[in-house]
Amino acid sequence: MKPRLSPALHQHLVLTPQLRQAIRLLQLSTAELEAEVADAVASNPLLDWTEETDQGDAIPGEPSAEMLDAAPQDAPAEERWDRDAEPWQERIGPGGDGDEDMGDPGDRASSGETLRDHLLWQLHLGHFSQRDATIGLAIIDAIDDDGYLRDGLDAIADVLLPGVRATHPEIQQVLHRIQQFDPVGVGARDLGECLRLQLLALPAETPGRALALDVAAGPLARLPRIGLDGLCAELDCRREDADAAVQLLRSLDPRPGSRYGELPPGTYVTPDCVIWRQQGMWRVALASNAMPRIAIQRGYEQMIRHARPSDADYLRGRLQEARWLLKGLESRADTLLRVVRCLVREQAAFLEFGAQALHPLTLRRVAEELGMHESTVSRAIARKYVRTPRGTIALRDFFASGIETGDGGSASSTAIQDMIRKLVAAEDPRKPLSDARLADTLKAEGVPVARRTVAKYREALQIPASHERVRIG
């Protein structure tokens, strides 16, 4: 059963004017969000920064400073973070002791994430057979920076030779699965298909969606030439319906992959959330800068009532934009907190014991538990970081694919890689463990892994083959 969208995001998707803003706010990193809000405050006279103790100028009924605060004083314990109450330097770090990772989160540099990285991560988490994963890798390698698949199926089939002889239907089937990845619209072969994929991801009741699908499949390329009147004649529809469809199409992203890319040198990550232990329980809170303190100025409400009609219309428009932004920020914070709390529930052992205790976890499982679409979860964790007693880590690190173990359970690929790393670190340097020996050792510990899988994980860890690890003396 396809997961449903969260009520908050569903509301934004149905309301066309808020469509792009809701999606954009959710997928922004904290640094990008700060810049987005700063631009909004600079361009909208009805918005202003607000101090924690200054709420008198906010319009009644609008989100107050407490609502916009990531950790209000009257919130439940799991939503509050008192840095002074947590002896971070004495907490467990990656090496088991307090370490430099417990310093300011800005001290840790971000490595950035390309579109290819993001797609490969989703491919790795998906339940693909070895053959389909190989085909998927070839497809992802052919997707350009804007998110389009420019190569034809013949070209992809040629790339797979001689190892895999894939038919067009096989490649097409894997491509359809990749087109369900985030960002929505990725893997399209032209603009019409890109927009169609994004439209299909919207609720069926979205105004203009059905007609927009017809436009994307047909007269899209001719639209600048024939205009609305020609579109109405060709599709036999009313002008207002055609206008709604065109506006919906304009709200979509024609270059869905463009927001991914390497970050400039010297870029630092800013945690979006904080996870800590309190009285034996894991707690979660938004970082203070993940929810900018803004409010609507009360004075402009009075000005609207007494302004000239033209000025009043302008102010009403800015008031509507300000309300949408506040609601969008509230929805973003709610979605992010729900996702992180779910990750903490699922991966408490990872927080306690490290990578070896990471359980298999996929986007689909989190989406089903929270009643969200997979793409919503993917946007919520994209380029987001969380500060934990083990350092500042990416939210995507809480996810991992897995295999069945001998005791009927499962082990994540990350945990298996950690086991391989430790086995290699403890091996006799004069007789390094071969991939076959590593596989046998893991099997004896209840983790049946094929030799070729061990080789793949070893290469991912950048560990040389056994004959290259031999050390004499």
Side-chain angles (χ1 to χ4, degrees):
M1 184 178 71
K2 184 178 181 181
R4 62 181 176 84
L5 293 171
S6 64
L9 185 54
H10 181 279
Q11 179 184 12
H12 287 300
L13 291 175
V14 174
L15 300 176
T16 302
Q18 301 178 53
L19 172 64
R20 295 186 66 182
Q21 184 183 58
I23 295 176
R24 184 175 64 252
L25 290 176
L26 183 59
Q27 67 196 20
L28 293 179
S29 66
T30 293
E32 292 168 335
L33 181 69
E34 290 175 342
E36 180 89 5
V37 172
D39 288 343
V41 172
S43 62
N44 192 333
L46 274 71
L47 284 171
D48 199 4
W49 302 105
T50 179
E51 298 297 331
E52 181 177 1
T53 57
D54 181 16
Q55 304 158 35
D57 292 335
I59 293 179
E62 296 295 333
S64 64
E66 283 97 341
M67 295 174 67
L68 295 177
D69 186 4
Q73 293 302 310
D74 58 350
E78 63 269 19
E79 295 184 12
R80 295 200 306 268
W81 174 45
D82 184 357
R83 180 188 178 97
D84 295 333
E86 285 296 311
W88 285 93
Q89 285 74 18
E90 300 175 8
R91 301 299 298 279
I92 299 174
D97 300 310
D99 59 23
E100 65 275 9
D101 276 340
M102 306 321 297
D104 190 279
D107 292 341
R108 186 160 180 170
S110 170
S111 60
E113 181 185 38
T114 65
L115 175 63
R116 183 177 184 274
D117 293 335
H118 189 55
L119 295 177
L120 287 178
W121 174 67
Q122 295 173 81
L123 179 72
H124 181 63
L125 285 181
H127 299 287
F128 287 83
S129 65
Q130 183 64 43
R131 181 181 179 86
D132 286 351
T134 302
I135 296 173
L137 177 59
I139 293 174
I140 289 173
D141 283 341
I143 293 176
D144 66 16
D145 292 341
D146 288 336
Y148 286 87
L149 179 64
R150 304 297 186 183
D151 295 344
L153 301 186
D154 286 331
I156 293 173
D158 290 341
V159 169
L160 290 166
L161 295 174
V164 175
R165 294 185 177 275
T167 63
H168 282 198
E170 282 185 292
I171 299 174
Q172 188 77 41
Q173 182 180 21
V174 176
L175 174 59
H176 284 160
R177 293 185 63 183
I178 290 176
Q179 287 177 341
Q180 303 306 311
F181 286 2
D182 179 73
V184 180
V186 73
R189 285 155 287 188
D190 55 49
L191 177 61
E193 185 176 23
C194 177
L195 299 180
R196 184 179 64 83
L197 291 170
Q198 295 179 57
L199 290 168
L200 291 174
L202 299 179
E205 63 270 26
T206 302
R209 176 180 179 270
L211 189 57
L213 284 168
D214 292 337
V215 176
L220 180 67
R222 302 191 305 277
L223 187 57
R225 185 175 74 254
I226 65 177
L228 277 181
D229 292 335
L231 186 64
C232 293
E234 185 168 338
L235 298 181
D236 190 23
C237 62
R238 298 181 303 174
R239 184 180 178 87
E240 53 266 32
D241 294 336
D243 184 61
V246 170
Q247 292 302 320
L248 179 58
L249 288 169
R250 286 175 176 168
S251 72
L252 304 178
D253 189 352
R255 299 170 59 229
S258 61
R259 69 174 183 267
Y260 291 89
E262 293 290 351
L263 296 175
T267 301
Y268 296 91
V269 302
T270 303
D272 302 84
C273 290
V274 180
I275 298 173
W276 76 102
R277 287 286 292 273
Q278 187 177 64
Q279 298 178 346
M281 300 290 291
W282 289 107
R283 305 294 187 181
V284 178
L286 287 177
S288 58
N289 52 359
M291 196 63 179
R293 296 177 184 275
I294 58 173
I296 298 176
Q297 298 265 357
R298 180 188 294 273
Y300 282 96
E301 183 184 28
Q302 302 296 330
M303 187 179 297
I304 292 175
R305 298 174 182 173
H306 301 94
R308 294 178 300 179
S310 59
D311 293 336
D313 289 343
Y314 168 79
L315 291 174
R316 288 192 188 97
R318 303 293 79 76
L319 177 61
Q320 186 69 280
E321 290 177 2
R323 285 173 173 165
W324 284 344
L325 177 61
L326 292 176
K327 291 178 181 177
L329 291 172
E330 206 175 349
S331 176
R332 178 187 187 273
D334 176 70
T335 300
L336 185 56
L337 271 177
R338 290 181 63 202
V339 169
V340 176
R341 286 171 181 157
C342 180
L343 296 180
V344 170
R345 289 195 301 270
E346 295 288 338
Q347 301 289 18
F350 165 58
L351 293 169
E352 191 76 37
F353 303 108
Q356 190 165 344
L358 190 68
H359 298 303
L361 185 63
T362 63
L363 291 171
R364 177 178 299 180
R365 178 172 174 180
V366 173
E368 289 177 347
E369 181 173 335
L370 298 177
M372 297 179 179
H373 195 280
E374 287 182 52
S375 63
T376 304
V377 177
S378 182
R379 291 189 185 102
I381 66 173
R383 295 172 299 162
K384 307 291 197 307
Y385 295 82
V386 60
R387 188 176 186 187
T388 77
R390 293 190 170 274
T392 300
I393 58 179
L395 285 181
R396 61 183 292 173
D397 291 342
F398 284 80
F399 294 82
S401 59
I403 64 170
E404 298 297 322
T405 59
D407 58 3
S410 59
S412 72
S413 57
T414 303
I416 297 172
Q417 290 182 39
D418 192 62
M419 295 171 71
I420 292 173
R421 183 190 295 109
K422 291 180 178 178
L423 288 173
V424 170
E427 69 185 0
D428 184 348
R430 292 173 297 180
K431 296 180 180 180
L433 298 172
S434 65
D435 293 338
R437 287 279 304 281
L438 288 170
D440 290 341
T441 303
L442 291 172
K443 183 177 181 180
E445 295 183 11
V447 184
V449 184
R451 183 201 59 78
R452 64 178 180 275
T453 303
V454 170
K456 180 179 72 174
Y457 289 165
R458 175 181 54 75
E459 291 170 358
L461 294 169
Q462 298 183 340
I463 297 175
S466 58
H467 68 274
E468 297 176 356
R469 304 201 305 272
V470 175
R471 297 290 183 269
I472 306 298

